[in-house]
């Protein structure tokens, strides 16, 4: 069931550059479903299903936004940098997990209490420089004894949970949703083509894994499974974010108003035809912001026809991201249907 898979992936920890926990889950899930696994020098995990000479790369980034220890003061308070695109107010007063050399350590993100803030302080934007991690230690030596040092990766502690209906919420659904879609697609697909299921690293810090893997594999086409912002809740205009939760996966026709990517029209037609034929709901989006692995893949070598294929997700880059399981299941079904035959290029 996709719920159990998503829970497992969301509750696991894997900040950019430290995705090994996610790779372990993927290997176990896909054991017996692929012809081989490869892992390149950057850490991308590539699950290969062999077929014809025509190859499809489906990329899904494993990493989540997080933090990294930058400095530990003499009283044991820990300063950090953000890894990936944080909205800083969502960090304040959260519990975190520090992944040290002697195991995990729980801490809290602290800052100046509001009770002693001046009116000017209350109006200021929360900055990472204003925050620190408190693990309860009273000295730098005590922190070191727990295996915490400069460079220790840090992730948010947040348990995946079910909400009303088919809605679920958790951390790192950007992009563990895309990972789940790719895992289930590989399990269910019947295709004549060679499929490279590429679970990429370091997307949140510059689409790095996708660039390296696409160059090495040189596929005929590429799809990036990810999430996108819906415009169906207060504070967001449907003009700026046209998708809605519960209305199906999203074919992203333009990322960052075309500055990032203009989806290949032949792949758009291929996916739309598959959805129409099988009566699987899908949506179209032209976005002004945000990019996916497809943005870098389509520029590799002499150009790789690419398209982002996304699931609507509310509150992304926060600890309480939300998706609709119906959208996740429809994304899997549409990809499985499309992969039954080769696109016309």
């Amino acid at each position: 069931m996709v719920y159990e898979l998503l829970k497992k992936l969301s509750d696991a920890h894997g900040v950019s550059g430290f995705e090994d926990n996610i790779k372990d889950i993927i290997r176990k899930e896909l054991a017996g479903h692929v012809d081989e696994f490869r892992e390149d020098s950057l850490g991308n995990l590539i699950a290969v299903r062999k077929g014809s000479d025509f190859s499809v790369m489906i990329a899904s980034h494993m990493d989540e936004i997080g933090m990294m220890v930058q400095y530990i003061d003499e009283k044991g308070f820990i300063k950090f940098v953000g890894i990936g695109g944080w909205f800083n107010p969502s960090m304040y007063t959260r519990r975190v997990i520090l992944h040290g050399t002697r195991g995990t350590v729980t801490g809290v993100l602290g800052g100046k209490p509001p009770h002693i803030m001046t009116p000017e302080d209350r109006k200021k934007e929360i900055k990472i420089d204003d925050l620190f991690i408190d693990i309860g230690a009273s000295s730098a030596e005590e922190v070191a004894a727990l295996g915490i040092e400069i460079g220790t990766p840090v992730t948010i502690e947040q348990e995946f949970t079910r909400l009303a209906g088919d809605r679920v919420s958790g951390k790192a659904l950007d992009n563990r949703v895309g990972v789940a879609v790719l895992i289930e697609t590989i399990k269910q697909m019947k295709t004549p083509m060679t499929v490279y299921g590429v679970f990429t690293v370091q997307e949140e810090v510059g689409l790095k894994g996708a660039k390296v893997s696409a160059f090495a594999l040189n596929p005929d086409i590429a799809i990036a499974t990810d999430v996108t912002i819906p415009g169906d809740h207060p504070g967001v205009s449907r003009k700026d974010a046209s998708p809605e939760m519960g209305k199906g996966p999203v074919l992203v026709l333009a990322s960052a108003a075309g500055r990032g990517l203009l989806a290949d029209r032949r792949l758009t037609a291929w996916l739309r035809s598959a959805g129409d034929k099988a009566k699987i709901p899908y949506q179209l989006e032209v976005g002004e912001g945000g990019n996916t692995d497809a943005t870098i893949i389509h520029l590799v070598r002499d150009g790789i026809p690419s398209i982002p294929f996304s699931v609507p997700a509310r509150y992304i880059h926060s600890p309480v991201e939300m998706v609709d399981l119906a959208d996740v299941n429809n994304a899997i079904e549409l990809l499985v249907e499309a992969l039954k035959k080769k696109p016309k290029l």
Side-chain angles (χ1 to χ4, degrees):
M1 183 180 179
V2 75
Y3 172 87
E4 296 299 333
L5 177 58
L6 265 182
K7 178 173 175 56
K8 193 184 303 182
L9 289 166
S10 175
D11 287 347
H13 297 269
V15 70
S16 303
F18 298 86
E19 299 93 347
D20 288 349
N21 289 334
I22 315 306
K23 287 186 236 182
D24 289 344
I25 294 171
I26 294 165
R27 285 181 180 274
K28 290 175 183 176
E29 288 289 330
L30 288 180
H33 294 280
V34 296
D35 294 303
E36 64 174 298
F37 286 107
R38 305 177 193 169
E39 189 168 335
D40 63 25
S41 58
L42 204 63
N44 297 298
L45 179 63
I46 304 163
V48 183
R49 178 77 73 82
K50 295 178 181 178
S52 69
D53 290 340
F54 189 92
S55 60
V56 181
M57 174 179 176
I58 308 178
S60 181
H61 75 88
M62 298 179 284
D63 57 319
E64 65 189 283
I65 59 172
M67 294 144 268
M68 184 176 283
V69 173
Q70 183 183 41
Y71 174 73
I72 303 165
D73 74 16
E74 67 279 1
K75 292 185 178 180
F77 294 107
I78 299 167
K79 297 296 288 184
F80 62 91
V81 298
I83 301 295
W86 277 101
F87 177 56
N88 296 342
S90 71
M91 304 172 80
Y92 182 48
T93 69
R94 288 282 179 178
R95 276 199 296 267
V96 295
I97 303 292
L98 296 89
H99 303 270
T101 59
R102 298 187 179 180
T104 58
V105 176
T106 302
V108 296
L109 284 165
K112 189 174 183 179
H115 309 75
I116 58 173
M117 286 184 180
T118 66
E120 289 72 25
D121 286 337
R122 291 173 183 270
K123 295 176 184 177
K124 291 179 181 176
E125 175 190 357
I126 293 177
K127 298 179 180 179
I128 285 181
D129 285 346
D130 300 325
L131 304 175
F132 53 85
I133 298 171
D134 185 349
I135 65 169
S138 56
S139 68
E141 292 75 18
E142 191 176 345
V143 174
L146 292 169
I148 307 302
E149 60 187 8
I150 292 172
T152 294
V154 183
T155 51
I156 289 289
E157 181 187 64
Q158 182 76 27
E159 187 175 357
F160 183 82
T161 189
R162 186 183 287 276
L163 304 174
D166 282 334
R167 306 284 165 89
V168 294
S169 176
K171 72 167 185 64
L173 295 183
D174 176 10
N175 182 42
R176 305 291 158 68
V177 167
V179 171
V181 167
L182 180 47
I183 288 172
E184 287 300 317
T185 296
I186 292 172
K187 286 181 179 179
Q188 298 176 32
M189 69 185 183
K190 295 180 180 179
T191 178
M193 300 171 281
T194 292
V195 174
Y196 299 116
V198 186
F199 300 91
T200 64
V201 297
Q202 299 189 45
E203 188 266 3
E204 296 290 4
V205 290
L207 315 177
K208 297 175 182 178
K211 182 176 183 179
V212 171
S213 56
F215 187 91
L217 295 170
N218 194 23
D220 291 292
I221 64 169
I223 302 166
T225 61
D226 211 311
V227 296
T228 191
I229 297 169
D232 58 0
H233 63 84
V236 185
S237 165
R238 289 292 307 285
K239 179 192 80 67
D240 295 326
S242 62
E244 297 180 69
M245 288 179 66
K247 297 292 182 68
V250 181
L251 280 64
V252 181
L253 307 182
S255 300
R259 296 183 302 277
L261 170 137
L262 292 169
D264 189 275
R265 289 178 292 171
R266 296 163 297 181
L267 298 190
T268 301
W270 174 57
L271 291 172
R272 292 189 72 173
S273 176
D276 293 341
K277 179 181 177 182
K279 295 183 170 52
I280 301 167
Y282 62 84
Q283 305 176 75
L284 304 177
E285 178 188 17
V286 171
E288 291 190 64
N291 281 303
T292 69
D293 278 340
T295 293
I296 197 69
I297 292 170
H298 87 287
L299 296 174
V300 168
R301 290 183 180 262
D302 57 351
I304 298 171
S306 303
I307 187 170
F309 184 67
S310 297
V311 170
R314 292 177 183 167
Y315 325 123
I316 62 172
H317 285 211
S318 85
V320 292
E321 297 169 344
M322 183 192 302
V323 297
D324 192 308
L325 294 178
D327 292 332
V328 180
N329 284 317
N330 280 320
I332 297 163
E333 288 183 28
L334 200 155
L335 278 182
V336 169
E337 183 67 27
L339 290 167
K340 289 178 179 178
K341 65 178 184 177
K342 177 177 143 182
K344 294 179 181 179
L345 297 182

